Amino acid sequence: MVRMPSVDSAHTVRVRVPAKINLHLSVGALRGDGFHELMTVFQAVDLADEVTARAALGLAVRMTGEGAATLPSGSENIAWRAASRLAEDAAVAPDVLLEISKAIPVAGGMAGGSADAAATLLACATLWRTRSTKAELLDLAGLLGSDVAFPLLGGTALGTGRGEVLTPVLTTGEFHWVLALAAFGISAGDAYRELDRLRAAGNAPEPAGKPEVLLDALRAGDAQRVGAALTNDLQPAALALAPALRRTLAAGLDLGAIAGIVCGSGPTCAFLCADARAANRLAASLAAEDVCRTTRVATGPVPGARVVA
Ligand code: ATP
């Protein structure tokens, strides 16, 4: 049970943190530590969660919004783990009430949980005045999970290792996306196991490898070429686990998207559009088809986690 302190109630830090789309996801060999070697290109988009850290006595998490009712509010919540880990590292008491407002779909392949952990690191470091550097927070993020570092950085970045070794990628202009949110989730672990199974049976392609064509298209700001270069090695696994996603992808293309792809381990599908108007039109017409729970428009790249109040 967390209690609000009587004198410190003005101490509140609100952080906004973006979801990610993998524009390229090459899944390489399974490593000795149980993780796959990845080569991925992340783009941060303006579908965002907000984490508010309030001065309190004790640690507690409260969640509202998209999928919140399905999530743990105790120590299994990755935001809780992020706060305790930072407190331990900074040798401060883990005194904070974390209020998480979710817009990023849960188990949707858009790293919502990782985004919440990243936002929590920034919010608590600010609230507790730990004086942590960005590099220290990025290191801590890498220890909390493969996808936690990227939402701190934002923009567009190449991720190697487990995805946590990040190099910023140069892009020109904005990219306009439509996201088709599903009525169910896919566990990332299940998707990776399914890919291993498909590969062992010779039913999935070899790792996509380096994203050179994509990086060139991003530099040029050429949406058509970016669309043609979108790659996700996990897509066959997501489609095997959720065959209905084939209809979602086909509908988006029929309705005029430049290209469509499963986000990470799925089941969210992302459609690239020529401009904001085309994205709004596609979001409305796709929502009217019976191929997803709902749609959202999103623009990228956007900055990583930042304090907004
Ligand atoms: P990724 O793209 O990194 O594989 P994802 O978007 O598919 O992740 P998440 O929404 O990050 O999936 O959540 C995966 C699981 O993590 C959830 O099913 C949930 O049980 C657990 N979890 C713990 N804390 C959180 C949180 N704050 N938000 C979302 N999920 C959380």
Side-chain angles (χ1 to χ4, degrees), residues 20 71 76-78 102 105-113 116 147 188 265:
K20 58 86 180 165
L71 293 172
E76 309 96 83
N77 196 298
I78 187 169
K102 288 202 70 70
V106 172
M110 302 194 77
D116 297 345
D147 282 349
S265 50

Side-chain angles (χ1 to χ4, degrees), residues 19-262:
K20 58 86 180 165
I21 297 176
N22 299 85
L23 310 184
H24 176 98
L25 178 52
S26 169
V27 181
L30 189 59
R31 311 189 317 192
D33 61 5
F35 290 98
H36 290 81
E37 193 67 29
L38 300 186
M39 189 169 293
T40 185
V41 176
F42 297 108
Q43 179 159 96
V45 295
D46 62 355
L47 179 72
D49 281 0
E50 278 190 4
V51 175
T52 303
R54 290 184 197 280
L57 297 173
L59 175 51
V61 177
R62 281 189 204 144
M63 315 207 42
T64 53
E66 174 78 34
T70 62
L71 293 172
S73 58
S75 58
E76 309 96 83
N77 196 298
I78 187 169
W80 174 299
R81 292 208 302 276
S84 359
R85 186 69 201 245
L86 175 67
E88 205 179 299
D89 262 44
V92 299
D95 283 340
V96 65
L97 168 61
L98 298 168
E99 292 171 341
I100 305 180
S101 169
K102 288 202 70 70
I104 307 174
V106 172
M110 302 194 77
S114 302
D116 297 345
T120 298
L121 289 178
L122 180 60
C124 290
T126 310
L127 183 75
W128 295 333
R129 299 188 178 92
T130 63
R131 298 178 184 278
S132 314
T133 62
K134 184 106 177 213
E136 284 165 348
L137 292 184
L138 283 168
D139 282 350
L140 209 48
L143 298 174
L144 286 164
S146 308
D147 282 349
V148 182
F150 176 69
L152 272 179
L153 190 70
T156 306
L158 178 68
T160 53
R162 292 181 282 119
E164 85 289 16
V165 183
L166 298 170
T167 312
V169 161
L170 192 65
T171 63
T172 300
E174 283 189 321
F175 296 89
H176 299 276
W177 301 94
V178 171
L179 304 167
L181 276 52
F184 54 90
I186 293 180
S187 130
D190 287 352
Y192 279 98
R193 277 187 290 279
E194 181 63 15
L195 176 62
D196 290 340
R197 203 186 61 77
L198 290 173
R199 280 191 175 151
N203 288 333
E206 288 305 300
K210 290 187 181 160
E212 273 150 9
V213 176
L214 174 70
L215 295 183
D216 193 54
L218 285 168
R219 236 184 337 262
D222 185 332
Q224 294 290 338
R225 279 170 55 213
V226 168
L230 295 176
T231 305
N232 181 3
D233 282 357
L234 279 179
Q235 183 160 310
L239 294 179
L241 293 172
L245 295 178
R246 288 183 195 282
R247 281 185 59 226
T248 313
L249 288 171
L253 294 178
D254 283 353
L255 292 167
I258 292 173
I261 195 165
V262 170

